[in-house]
Amino acid sequence: MGYNGEERAFIEWYPRGYGVGFKVKERLFETQTKYQRLELYETEGFGKLLVLDGTVQLVEVGEESYHEPLVHPVMLAHPNPKKVLIIGGGDGGTLREVLRHKTVEKAVMVEIDEMVVEVSRVYLNVERGAFDDPRTELIIGDGVKYLRETEETFDVIIVDSTDPVGPAKLLFSEEFYRSAYEKLNERGLYITQAGSVYLFTNELLDAYRVMKKVFDDVYYFSFPVIGYASPWSFLVGIKGDVDFKKIDLERAREIELYYYDPERHETLFQMPRYVRLLLESGDGME
């Protein structure tokens, strides 16, 4: 896993020998932060590539293919999202997309690794001023601890974390989901990325089943993301009376989107048949 100087390529290896790679022109930056190994490359065709602990976080050209489906479906399904919490997302892409919604009065972002924020601000054209928006409150700290201890409540909680393996496993625990549920307002939505549909199927199933114990309803969907082992899965937890299958198209038309298509919202829910059957087995869904 990682950079091959001879071939001038970066390859992220997934389970079972599946790899996603980019040809690179040069390595721009490399450091060991307090929490993880951070690398930054200039690719041949996709701009800069951000890597944490050997895993691709984003490429500049196409990063919206991750940030748009992570943010806009839940924001548009909520009737009036004013307060939003983002856990992770140090590159600023998720924050940027949240702030495109005129209803948002406050967006709190909790990122554990300050170096990710600093490197992203200096090298990446992703946040586009989001960190300086007056509605933004940036907290450098542990998102799990913050959610457990804060007295604030939110309309939408977005978890923009690394894959549901290793250190990020805490973000996929029942205890964490219960903290999130408690900190959602009477009507609220929670979303997390949940890994590759094909290669992290067991992790997706585990997270889905645990979320079903906590939230009033749980939805799953997938989206093809540039730089990831697509299709990529997302899980949405519902609190209160919110129908995630219906979105506000009027609000959607105020935002110009490139990848996620609000007018074809129903296509999000397409899942390989065997995965859908595994997800729905024994959970009471029709």
Side-chain angles (χ1 to χ4, degrees), residues 93-113:
T94 297
L95 178 65
R96 177 199 71 215
E97 293 300 316
V98 165
L99 293 172
R100 296 178 73 189
H101 290 261
K102 293 177 182 176
T103 57
V104 174
E105 297 173 358
K106 183 177 183 181
V108 178
M109 179 178 145
V110 185
E111 164 63 51
I112 197 167
D113 195 338

Side-chain angles (χ1 to χ4, degrees), residues 58-76:
L58 62 82
V59 280
E60 281 182 308
V61 179
E63 47 85 9
E64 297 94 341
S65 65
Y66 171 74
H67 291 123
E68 286 186 9
L70 179 66
V71 171
H72 298 295
V74 288
M75 293 294 289
L76 292 169

Side-chain angles (χ1 to χ4, degrees), residues 204-257:
L204 168 62
L205 293 171
D206 289 345
Y208 177 73
R209 287 165 182 159
V210 176
M211 282 180 68
K212 290 285 286 184
K213 296 178 183 178
V214 176
F215 292 93
D216 300 342
D217 205 352
V218 179
Y219 294 85
Y220 50 83
F221 70 88
S222 66
F223 204 85
V225 176
I226 294 172
Y228 294 4
S230 293
W232 208 252
S233 65
F234 299 82
L235 290 169
V236 178
I238 305 294
K239 182 176 181 179
D241 181 21
V242 182
D243 184 355
F244 181 61
K245 294 213 168 177
K246 292 181 181 176
I247 59 164
D248 189 334
L249 283 173
E250 195 171 322
R251 274 195 286 136
R253 292 186 186 105
E254 297 174 354
I255 304 170
E256 187 177 344
L257 298 169

Side-chain angles (χ1 to χ4, degrees), residues 12-256:
E12 177 181 352
W13 290 105
Y14 284 80
R16 298 171 17 217
Y18 187 99
V20 175
F22 290 91
K23 287 191 173 182
V24 301
K25 294 179 179 178
E26 61 178 321
R27 180 155 47 193
L28 299 172
F29 187 82
E30 182 181 10
T31 188
Q32 178 68 42
T33 78
K34 186 178 175 183
Y35 298 99
Q36 56 206 333
R37 191 79 185 159
L38 187 155
E39 298 166 84
L40 195 71
Y41 298 89
E42 184 70 43
T43 71
E44 285 195 6
F46 291 87
K48 294 180 183 67
L49 162 67
L50 176 65
V51 177
L52 296 177
D53 278 345
T55 64
V56 172
Q57 301 304 298
L58 62 82
V59 280
E60 281 182 308
V61 179
E63 47 85 9
E64 297 94 341
S65 65
Y66 171 74
H67 291 123
E68 286 186 9
L70 179 66
V71 171
H72 298 295
V74 288
M75 293 294 289
L76 292 169
H78 194 285
N80 190 23
K82 293 181 178 180
K83 281 182 67 180
V84 179
L85 171 64
I86 301 164
I87 293 178
D91 55 78
T94 297
L95 178 65
R96 177 199 71 215
E97 293 300 316
V98 165
L99 293 172
R100 296 178 73 189
H101 290 261
K102 293 177 182 176
T103 57
V104 174
E105 297 173 358
K106 183 177 183 181
V108 178
M109 179 178 145
V110 185
E111 164 63 51
I112 197 167
D113 195 338
E114 188 172 18
M115 184 64 76
V116 176
V117 176
E118 291 179 4
V119 169
S120 297
R121 292 188 78 154
V122 172
Y123 288 96
L124 295 172
N125 182 31
V126 172
E127 54 105 3
R128 296 172 205 164
F131 289 129
D132 300 316
D133 191 294
R135 295 171 291 170
T136 296
E137 181 184 345
L138 174 61
I139 297 170
I140 302 300
D142 182 344
V144 175
K145 186 171 183 285
Y146 172 84
L147 197 58
R148 186 172 59 242
E149 296 178 357
T150 185
E151 294 182 3
E152 292 202 59
T153 56
F154 301 90
D155 299 305
V156 175
I157 296 175
I158 300 171
V159 177
D160 182 3
S161 73
T162 50
D163 298 335
V165 290
K169 264 194 169 289
L170 276 177
L171 299 172
F172 295 84
S173 66
E174 184 174 347
E175 180 185 1
F176 182 74
Y177 294 143
R178 292 200 182 279
S179 293
Y181 186 88
E182 288 168 8
K183 299 304 159 57
L184 284 171
N185 289 324
E186 188 177 338
R187 287 198 292 185
L189 291 97
Y190 170 96
I191 186 168
T192 181
Q193 69 89 9
S196 171
V197 171
Y198 294 132
L199 301 174
F200 292 142
T201 309
N202 290 335
E203 288 81 2
L204 168 62
L205 293 171
D206 289 345
Y208 177 73
R209 287 165 182 159
V210 176
M211 282 180 68
K212 290 285 286 184
K213 296 178 183 178
V214 176
F215 292 93
D216 300 342
D217 205 352
V218 179
Y219 294 85
Y220 50 83
F221 70 88
S222 66
F223 204 85
V225 176
I226 294 172
Y228 294 4
S230 293
W232 208 252
S233 65
F234 299 82
L235 290 169
V236 178
I238 305 294
K239 182 176 181 179
D241 181 21
V242 182
D243 184 355
F244 181 61
K245 294 213 168 177
K246 292 181 181 176
I247 59 164
D248 189 334
L249 283 173
E250 195 171 322
R251 274 195 286 136
R253 292 186 186 105
E254 297 174 354
I255 304 170
E256 187 177 344

